[in-house]
Amino acid sequence: TPALAEKFGLGREALPEEINAWTVEVFPDGKNLPEGSGSVADGEKIFADNCAVCHGDFAEGVDNWPKLAGGEGTLANKDPVKTVGSYWPYLSTVWDYAHRSMPFGNAQTLTVDETYAIVAYILYSNYLVEDDFVLTKDNFLDVEMPNADGFIVDNRDEVEVPKFSEAACMSDCKTDVHITKKATVLDVTPNQGGGEDTAA
Amino acid sequence: MDDKERQGNPATNAALSRRGFLRAGAAVGAMAAGAGAARAEQQPDPLITEVQPWASGWGDGVDATPYGLPIEFEDDVIRRNVGWLTADVISSINFTPIHALDGTITPTGCAFERHHSGAIELKKEDYRLMINGLVDKPLVFTYEDLERFPRVNRTYFLECAANSGMEWAGAQLNGAQFTQGMIHNMQYSGIPLRTLLEEAGITNLGDQIKDKWVYAEGADASSNGRSIPLEKALDDCLVAIKANGEALRKEHGYPVRLVVPGFEGNMWVKWLRRLEVTDEAVQSREETSKYTDTLADGTSRKWTWVMDAKSVVTSPSPQMPIKHGKGPLVITGMAWSGRGHITKVDVSLDGGANWQEARLAEPGADKAVSRFYLEIDWDGSEMLLQSRATDSTGYVQPTKDALRAIRGENSVYHNNGIQTWWVKENGESENVEVSS
C-alpha cells in the first residue's frame, strides 16, 4: 500500500477566480449567499418566462413535473405532496438549486437578482410571504420554512438494526401463507420486447 | 455490429437463417421428452447427424468487430426504462437486466443509469477536479494528474436509494429487473479519496475530522451535490477512473466518478468536478427534497446513507419462467449489504414458512454483490419463492411488512424488504406479496 501521508506534488494551486466560479453552493446559515435582492412581482414575471411551462403559473406543477407549491399538512397522508412550502427545510437549498441547476436544460443562466426574485415568488406561491415582499441577502434567514423541524438524522441503528439482528426463524415460521397483493392486477410493467418500451 | 454490417457479412446471414430451424429443432426435442419412455422411437437429432453450416464454412474474421457487442440472440439482456416513473427521460432511471445475468460483475454496457440532467460528454482534456475549502492548499488536478497517483482496485455494488421504491405500497412491477434492477456491481480502479485530500492537506483540521464534511459535486447541470462525512471520505471512498477494466462509460461518469462503498448510489457523484472540505453539511437539494425518507407520522429521516442487507431471486422470476418442466431446477439470485459482507442467504419455497440455506458461489466480499444458488428437484407445484440475506454484522434482511411497521409506506427510498415470486404450475412467475 502507498504511504498515504506522503505528498506527490501533483496538481497545482487553485486560483481565487477558479474557486469563486465553482464554489456557489449556499449553506442553511446563508454562507456563500451573494449580495442582491428580488421582489415577488419581478419573480412572477421571470417565473412565467422561465419556469411556468413545467412548474405552472402558480408553481403548482404541470403534468408530472415537480410541484413547487402546495401540499401543506399532507406529509402524514397516504399520498403526501412534498413541495418547497410543505417539505423543504431550508430556503438556502431553494436559492442554491434554482441558481445552479434551473431552468432544466438551460441551467446557470439566472442572475443573482433573478434568483432572489424567483425564490421570493415561490415563497409567495406557498403563502409564506405577502405579494409586496422583497427577498434580500439580509432578510433571507428571517423567512420561516414550515417543515424546518421535520427532519431527524438516520436512526436505523437504534430503531431497526437491533430488531433485524435477532436470530432468524428457519422452520414452521408461519401457519397461514396466502397471497395478499399481485403486480399483474396493476399491469403497469413495460413490455419486454426490448427497445420499444413506453409508458403503460 | 449494426444491421448494415450484419447484412454485409455472409457468415452472419447464414446464422440468421438458421434461427427458425434451431427453434423448430428445440420444439421437436421437447415433444420427444414429453413422450417419456418412447426413447426407442426418438429420431436422431439432425443438429448432430447433419453437418451444420458453422461446422463447414467460415465464421467472422478477427477484423469484423474491433469492440464487440453481445451476440444478437441475447438482445433481451438490455437496460429498460419505465416511462411513467418520471416526467422525462433526462432526469430519470433505467434498470439493469439482473434477471438474465449471473455471477457478480455487471457488464458495463447494460449497467443501470440514473441521471438528473442527462449523461454528459466530458473529454479527459476538458476535465478538471478541484479540491478546496478547509484544506491547506486548494488544488486543481487534470485527468493526467490523477493517473499519476497510486491506484487500488476494489469491487463494490452501487444501488440507487430508490431501488424497489415503487414497491413500498404493494407489488407493482412484474420483474426483478424493474423491482431490484437499480443496481450494478463493478470492479473500480481508482485513487483513494484520502490520498487526494491529503495532497491538498488536511493537517489544519487536527483531530476535528469527526465533525467535518466533504461536499462533492459533478460537472453536469444538475451538479448532484452531496455532503459526505469526512470520516467516510478518509475511510474507503475512491475517485475512480476505470470500471471493469476500462474507462468509465459516459453514462457512468466518464472520465471520473466518486465511489462511496455501501452508501446510496446518489452519493456516487459522476463527472466529479469538485470536492470541498466544509465544517457543516450543505443540505443540498439531493439531501433535503430528495433522498430523505418520510415516515408514517410525517417526519422524515435525513442522511440515510447506508444501503442495508438485501437480496433477490433473479431466476426463476417473472422475466425468467421455468420452461423445462419438473425435475432439477437452479434457483439463483444476488445478495449485498452496505454494512459489510454477505455471510448467508436463506431461500424459502413456501412464502417464508420454512427456509433452507443457499450456497454462496464465493465467500462474501465487503460491500459487494454475492451470488447464491439453491439446487432443487421441482415437483411442478406452486411455490412462493423468497430469499433472505444475512450480513457480517448479523443483520437479517427484513420483510416488507416489518419495514412498513416501522416506516409506513411513504419512505420512497431504502426498500430492502424480502421479495416474493409466485411460481405457478406452468412455470411462470409473478411479483406478489404474502401474509406475514
Side-chain angles (χ1 to χ4, degrees), chain A residues 2 4-14 18-19 22-23 25-29 31 64-65 75-78 80 82 87-90 93 97 100-101 104 107 150-157 159-161 163-166 168-174 176-184 186 188-192 194-195 197 199-200, chain B residues 78 80-82 84 86-88 90 116 130 132 138-141 145 148-150 169-174 178 195 198-199 201 215 217 221-223 273-274 276 280 282-285 288-289 292 294 296 298-304 306 308 319 339 346 350-355 384 388 394-396 407 410 414 422 430-435:
Chain A
L4 292 179
E6 176 190 343
K7 296 234 184 195
F8 298 90
L10 294 169
R12 55 137 178 113
E13 186 156 7
E18 296 169 333
I19 294 171
W22 278 5
T23 309
E25 82 279 7
V26 179
F27 291 77
D29 60 8
K31 185 177 145 196
N64 209 8
W65 296 101
L75 297 181
N77 291 4
K78 182 169 170 51
K82 300 183 184 180
Y87 193 64
W88 293 37
Y90 305 109
T93 314
Y97 186 68
R100 183 169 23 177
S101 297
F104 190 54
F151 293 81
I152 58 169
V153 174
D154 184 5
N155 63 352
R156 283 177 291 175
D157 281 349
V159 303
E160 294 185 7
V161 170
K163 187 179 174 63
F164 298 154
S165 299
E166 293 168 2
C169 175
M170 290 299 288
S171 57
D172 300 324
C173 307
K174 302 177 184 181
D176 171 38
V177 180
H178 62 271
I179 291 171
T180 56
K181 286 174 178 136
K182 294 183 182 178
T184 52
L186 283 170
V188 290
T189 308
N191 71 67
Q192 304 288 299
D197 291 341
Chain B
I78 53 171
R80 291 187 170 88
N81 68 303
V82 177
W84 56 265
T86 52
D88 72 339
I90 304 299
H116 292 78
M130 183 184 291
N132 70 316
L139 293 176
V140 172
F141 297 111
D145 292 333
R148 298 171 64 189
F149 281 100
Q172 185 158 232
L173 287 159
N174 210 28
F178 301 104
T195 305
E198 288 181 341
E199 186 72 12
Y215 181 66
E217 67 175 11
S222 83
S223 94
R273 83 169 190 186
R274 196 168 65 93
E276 180 182 357
E280 58 181 314
V282 172
Q283 312 257 18
S284 69
R285 187 253 195 179
T288 54
S289 169
T292 49
T294 301
T299 62
S300 302
R301 288 175 177 159
K302 66 176 179 180
W303 300 339
T304 47
V306 174
D308 285 316
Q319 295 159 286
R339 296 181 186 271
D346 302 318
D350 57 8
N354 296 282
W355 298 86
L384 291 166
R388 182 177 68 189
Y395 179 102
V396 181
R407 304 184 195 170
N410 287 325
H414 292 282
W422 174 31
E430 182 176 341
N431 175 13
V432 298
E433 290 195 17
V434 293
S435 53

Side-chain angles (χ1 to χ4, degrees), chain B residues 20-181:
Chain B
F21 171 73
L22 274 170
R23 282 176 183 158
V28 168
M31 278 164 61
R39 184 176 290 254
E41 295 169 25
Q42 189 172 331
Q43 297 300 308
D45 185 347
L47 282 170
I48 298 171
T49 58
E50 295 174 10
V51 175
Q52 301 300 316
W54 57 82
S56 177
W58 285 342
D60 294 343
V62 295
D63 59 346
T65 316
Y67 197 112
L69 288 171
I71 194 165
E72 61 190 300
F73 313 124
E74 297 296 316
D75 63 2
D76 61 325
V77 187
I78 53 171
R79 296 188 275 230
R80 291 187 170 88
N81 68 303
V82 177
W84 56 265
L85 276 178
T86 52
D88 72 339
V89 293
I90 304 299
S91 181
S92 193
I93 188 87
N94 62 27
F95 300 86
T96 304
I98 57 170
H99 62 287
L101 301 178
D102 209 325
T104 59
I105 294 295
T106 312
T108 43
C110 66
F112 89 101
E113 305 166 68
R114 201 293 185 236
H115 318 302
H116 292 78
S117 51
I120 61 166
E121 193 169 283
L122 180 54
K123 279 191 292 197
K124 287 177 180 170
E125 292 79 6
D126 296 340
Y127 180 78
R128 298 289 184 274
L129 175 64
M130 183 184 291
I131 299 185
N132 70 316
L134 303 174
V135 293
D136 299 340
K137 181 174 159 187
L139 293 176
V140 172
F141 297 111
T142 62
Y143 182 83
E144 289 72 22
D145 292 333
L146 295 182
E147 281 190 319
R148 298 171 64 189
F149 281 100
R151 241 170 279 166
V152 296
N153 285 195
R154 298 280 186 274
T155 301
Y156 295 116
F157 75 83
L158 184 170
E159 183 184 17
C160 179
N163 198 23
S164 313
M166 301 81 73
E167 304 290 305
W168 268 114
Q172 185 158 232
L173 287 159
N174 210 28
Q177 178 170 21
F178 301 104
T179 50
Q180 279 86 11

Side-chain angles (χ1 to χ4, degrees), chain B residues 201-236:
Chain B
I202 49 173
T203 56
N204 62 338
L205 297 180
D207 56 2
Q208 296 181 46
I209 283 169
K210 262 198 167 356
D211 306 320
K212 298 293 183 279
W213 300 80
V214 174
Y215 181 66
E217 67 175 11
D220 62 317
S222 83
S223 94
N224 196 48
R226 284 294 304 254
S227 305
I228 300 166
L230 182 56
E231 275 189 300
K232 176 67 176 179
L234 294 173
D235 178 17
D236 58 1

Side-chain angles (χ1 to χ4, degrees), chain A residues 54-71:
Chain A
C54 295
H55 296 297
D57 288 338
F58 307 101
E60 78 281 15
V62 174
D63 297 334
N64 209 8
W65 296 101
K67 297 170 170 56
L68 306 182

